Amino acid sequence: MKDAKAAKMSKADRQQAGLAPGEEHRKHAEMMGWVDGPGDVVNPMMVGRHGKLVAMPSNYAAQRSKGVPRPLACFRMLHTGEVYAQIVMETKKHLARTGSSVVPVTMSELNKFLGISIFMSILQLPSKKDYWYGMWRQPWVIAVMTYQRWQQIKTSLRFSSHQPAKLDKSSDQYDKAWPLREVSNMVAAAWFTARTQPEWVSIDEQMYGTKGWCTLKTYMPNKPTKRGAKVWAAADPKTGYVYCMEIYCGKVVTDEKETTGMARGVVLRLAAPFKEHTKLCADNLFTDLACIQELWDTQHKYLTGTVRENRKGWPKHLAPQVADGQKGASALAHMLYGEPSRQAKIVACVWKDTKDVKLMSSAAQGTATVVQRRSWDLEDGETPDRDRPAVDVVSLYHEFMNGVDRADALRAAYGVSMKIKQKWPVVLYLKMIVDTCINNALINWLDYQPHTAKTKPTLREFREILATELCEGSPEFQRPTDLHVPVRARKDGGNHPLNCAVCAGSSMTPSASGKRQHRHGSRPSTKCAKCDVHLCIGDRAEYGLDADTQDDYKKNCFEIWHTDPAYAQWVTK
């Protein structure tokens, strides 16, 4: 009762009673081995100061000596020929097993299917059928493949061998992700060997949204993507390159779960392929004292992350020490762990920000540093200085925790969008495997490109080139830049969107006085690929709209530009 009462005491009551802050938790902390203050000096070679990692052999390095590769070469280093052969073979077996009359897909047709799917992620239309029929039909897509053949390939693709034992829930071989398991293992091995291992790796979860029927679908109400398949991923915090991922198949009761725990098992499995002394960064779902200790004992790797206060091993006497402090105040505890010959120092830290941030690390020293503020909101007595006192644990977490977030940002920009009823393996193959292969290939391709921040090639440009190269096998193929098709205009760098050449006026439509004519119009994000002119895309061809109904329609300046005789002299032939 005395300890419980002391825990509720204010700072003045504790001082009057002669109790130090957190005295009620100090006995437990001493039993765990935590020590306040800087702690004992440990050999720096045993706390993560091992220098740069040695680059492992990779097929990517072999390509480097051959000059600058094309985007298709970078993509095929990750989506390898083995993956192509697996998909073609399993699709052929499925059609033969079901007695279907559909012609099996070939390697060339699979390339064209992927090229068209990538093109659809850049230029998005309301329906997939609109790329072949109607006002917005695309000659580039029509020349590559018919709509009927594209639909046949989409619905007939298979990726893993048919094994009835994996469909039986009572079987030991039951696997929810079996339709994608073989292909996902192949591409994951290619991702890992195609790039040098980094010093730091961030581990987090990813969500691949799908609302259709899917055995892997989970519901997470607090995430931006609430419904979809969840995977655990390990990525480079500097570039967002995904080295490996593990598909989450739901709760599985095994001996490993009883002794290790789900989150700790994910960290140990994702960290296993990396070399010794790799430094990992994870959030409070994965980090606790037992995980850090087991990761060092079994693999000699380091872990830094935020911690939940209710996790076992957390020194609870630290939080009261900063309860009455200002923002930037921190309290530390140190623990020496491991064999004397290979000791590691674990640092626990409570850092006061808007809320108390609790972190634990085996790669930090616990030294003082500063971090930049995230906002300009000032409280009484604060200055507008962007630097805030902190501990190196905080700065390491801020710097190296965003690897999976970078990968999500790349995927969200031009991700493949596909809706197929009861064909979820195809949807997740395109969203999870193909999109990640494209983003990883872009990161590898940029290593060859001499560029500055302003001239850096964009993901859209990379996807356009890749889609073009995947479809060049068609005899009637034409590059998009040779056709009058709408493409998305860049909004980044120095190439800002320009006014629409029809509804907003330009130097091409002079007024009677000879001066440049300016009219109220839009600044569209689309332009004609051949004319290189910014034009609006809408659902009505008439230029002059009734004032009462003009808000109900969007001007189709793209069609007006290419059909109205008034603009014929400026249309590129």
Side-chain angles (χ1 to χ4, degrees):
M1 292 292 295
K2 181 179 179 180
D3 291 344
K5 184 178 180 180
K8 299 179 181 180
M9 287 183 177
S10 64
K11 182 177 179 181
D13 294 337
R14 285 197 304 267
Q15 291 177 351
Q16 185 176 359
L19 294 176
E23 187 68 30
E24 58 275 9
H25 301 299
R26 197 167 300 280
K27 183 177 180 180
H28 177 265
E30 292 175 355
M31 292 176 59
M32 294 297 300
W34 293 109
V35 180
D36 287 342
D40 299 331
V41 178
V42 185
N43 185 348
M45 292 298 292
M46 299 302 169
V47 291
R49 303 296 185 261
H50 293 273
K52 296 183 178 180
L53 294 173
V54 179
M56 66 180 300
S58 65
N59 53 358
Y60 191 59
Q63 293 287 340
R64 185 179 296 275
S65 61
K66 299 179 182 179
V68 179
R70 299 294 299 172
L72 181 59
C74 294
F75 176 75
R76 284 182 175 171
M77 291 171 60
L78 306 174
H79 195 281
T80 60
E82 183 183 10
V83 178
Y84 278 103
Q86 172 75 11
I87 297 174
V88 171
M89 179 181 64
E90 294 302 331
T91 302
K92 185 177 180 179
K93 289 181 179 179
H94 166 72
L95 295 176
R97 184 173 57 253
T98 57
S100 175
S101 60
V102 176
V103 179
V105 65
T106 63
M107 194 84 70
S108 175
E109 286 181 324
L110 184 56
N111 273 328
K112 296 174 185 178
F113 173 81
L114 295 178
I116 292 175
S117 301
I118 296 171
F119 175 78
M120 291 176 176
S121 69
I122 302 173
L123 179 64
Q124 298 183 7
L125 297 180
S127 172
K128 303 302 181 187
K129 198 172 183 178
D130 293 341
Y131 292 93
W132 283 269
Y133 304 102
M135 180 185 298
W136 305 117
R137 61 186 180 274
Q138 302 297 317
W140 183 82
V141 176
I142 296 173
V144 173
M145 184 179 290
T146 64
Y147 175 69
Q148 290 75 14
R149 183 55 180 166
W150 187 82
Q151 281 281 65
Q152 289 178 351
I153 295 175
K154 181 183 69 173
T155 56
S156 64
L157 285 181
R158 294 297 183 274
F159 310 98
S160 297
S161 57
H162 181 70
Q163 301 181 22
K166 294 185 177 181
L167 301 175
D168 186 6
K169 293 185 178 181
S170 61
S171 173
D172 295 337
Q173 302 181 20
Y174 176 67
D175 183 10
K176 286 186 178 181
W178 72 268
L180 289 174
R181 183 67 66 188
E182 296 181 18
V183 170
S184 63
N185 290 341
M186 292 177 185
V187 296
W191 298 344
F192 195 84
T193 58
R195 193 174 180 85
T196 303
Q197 298 183 34
E199 183 181 2
W200 281 86
V201 176
S202 61
I203 295 177
D204 206 349
E205 59 189 5
Q206 288 183 306
M207 286 289 289
Y208 293 87
T210 175
K211 295 184 179 180
W213 183 85
C214 177
T215 59
L216 300 175
K217 187 171 64 175
T218 59
Y219 177 65
M220 303 185 69
N222 296 328
K223 294 290 184 179
T225 303
K226 294 178 173 51
R227 294 175 176 85
K230 181 167 71 172
V231 302
W232 314 112
D236 183 356
K238 295 297 184 182
T239 62
Y241 184 93
V242 178
Y243 281 88
C244 53
M245 66 169 55
E246 177 183 319
I247 303 175
Y248 175 68
C249 298
K251 183 178 180 180
V252 180
V253 179
T254 61
D255 294 339
E256 180 186 0
K257 179 175 177 58
E258 293 175 357
T259 58
T260 304
M262 184 273 295
R264 198 188 318 169
V266 170
V267 174
L268 295 175
R269 289 191 297 271
L270 290 180
F274 294 94
K275 290 189 174 183
E276 284 191 358
H277 309 300
T278 299
K279 303 177 182 66
L280 308 175
C281 204
D283 58 16
N284 57 16
L285 175 64
F286 306 96
T287 310
D288 59 13
L289 180 61
C291 182
I292 295 176
Q293 292 175 342
E294 187 171 353
L295 190 63
W296 175 255
D297 284 340
T298 58
Q299 302 182 24
H300 293 291
K301 297 182 178 72
Y302 305 94
L303 179 62
T304 300
T306 52
V307 188
R308 297 175 183 175
E309 190 175 9
N310 59 353
R311 291 292 175 91
K312 291 183 179 180
W314 171 255
K316 297 183 180 180
H317 70 282
L318 293 180
Q321 297 182 22
V322 299
D324 301 320
Q326 296 182 352
K327 291 184 178 181
S330 59
L332 295 174
H334 295 250
M335 174 193 291
L336 294 178
Y337 180 76
E339 300 177 359
S341 58
R342 302 193 71 168
Q343 270 191 338
K345 181 167 68 174
I346 303 177
V347 178
C349 169
V350 175
W351 181 63
K352 189 173 182 61
D353 195 40
T354 305
K355 296 181 179 180
D356 290 349
V357 183
K358 303 171 180 63
L359 303 104
M360 194 177 291
S361 173
S362 57
Q365 295 285 355
T367 57
T369 184
V370 293
V371 294
Q372 285 192 335
R373 294 173 55 112
R374 293 296 182 93
S375 66
W376 286 91
D377 297 334
L378 301 180
E379 297 180 357
D380 294 339
E382 285 192 321
T383 61
D385 191 1
R386 291 184 61 87
D387 292 337
R388 175 170 293 172
V391 189
D392 59 349
V393 186
V394 180
S395 60
L396 290 176
Y397 182 80
H398 283 180
E399 184 177 0
F400 298 113
M401 186 50 211
N402 58 350
V404 179
D405 294 336
R406 289 180 183 271
D408 287 338
L410 286 174
R411 183 167 52 87
Y414 296 101
V416 176
S417 176
M418 192 75 65
K419 296 180 181 179
I420 306 176
K421 293 183 179 179
Q422 297 187 359
K423 300 295 181 182
W424 63 267
V426 180
V427 177
L428 294 186
Y429 164 72
L430 293 173
K431 290 186 174 183
M432 184 185 303
I433 296 177
V434 175
D435 265 349
T436 306
C437 285
I438 295 172
N439 296 335
N440 285 353
L442 168 68
I443 296 170
N444 288 341
W445 185 63
L446 289 176
D447 289 346
Y448 295 100
Q449 309 298 321
H451 61 269
T452 62
K454 292 185 177 181
T455 62
K456 180 180 178 180
T458 62
L459 175 60
R460 179 184 66 85
E461 295 171 345
F462 180 83
R463 282 181 174 258
E464 288 177 352
I465 299 172
L466 179 59
T468 301
E469 293 179 346
L470 283 169
C471 297
E472 279 185 339
S474 178
E476 300 179 2
F477 173 78
Q478 286 183 288
R479 291 179 177 272
T481 53
D482 299 332
L483 304 171
H484 293 286
V485 295
V487 296
R488 186 173 297 184
R490 288 185 58 176
K491 288 187 176 182
D492 53 343
N495 189 5
H496 296 284
L498 301 178
N499 293 335
C500 177
V502 175
C503 66
S506 68
S507 58
M508 300 178 184
T509 56
S511 62
S513 61
K515 297 182 179 180
R516 183 171 179 176
Q517 184 178 8
H518 294 276
R519 292 196 295 269
H520 294 289
S522 61
R523 304 184 69 184
S525 60
T526 54
K527 66 177 181 179
C528 177
K530 190 170 184 179
C531 300
D532 195 23
V533 175
H534 289 70
L535 298 165
C536 302
I537 294 180
D539 53 9
R540 182 157 175 163
E542 291 81 358
Y543 176 76
L545 299 178
D546 184 24
D548 297 331
T549 60
Q550 62 181 352
D551 292 336
D552 299 334
Y553 300 95
K554 296 179 66 177
K555 298 177 290 297
N556 189 351
C557 298
F558 185 88
E559 184 175 353
I560 296 172
W561 175 265
H562 293 95
T563 57
D564 194 330
Y567 301 97
Q569 57 179 319
W570 291 295
V571 176
T572 305
K573 305 301 181 181

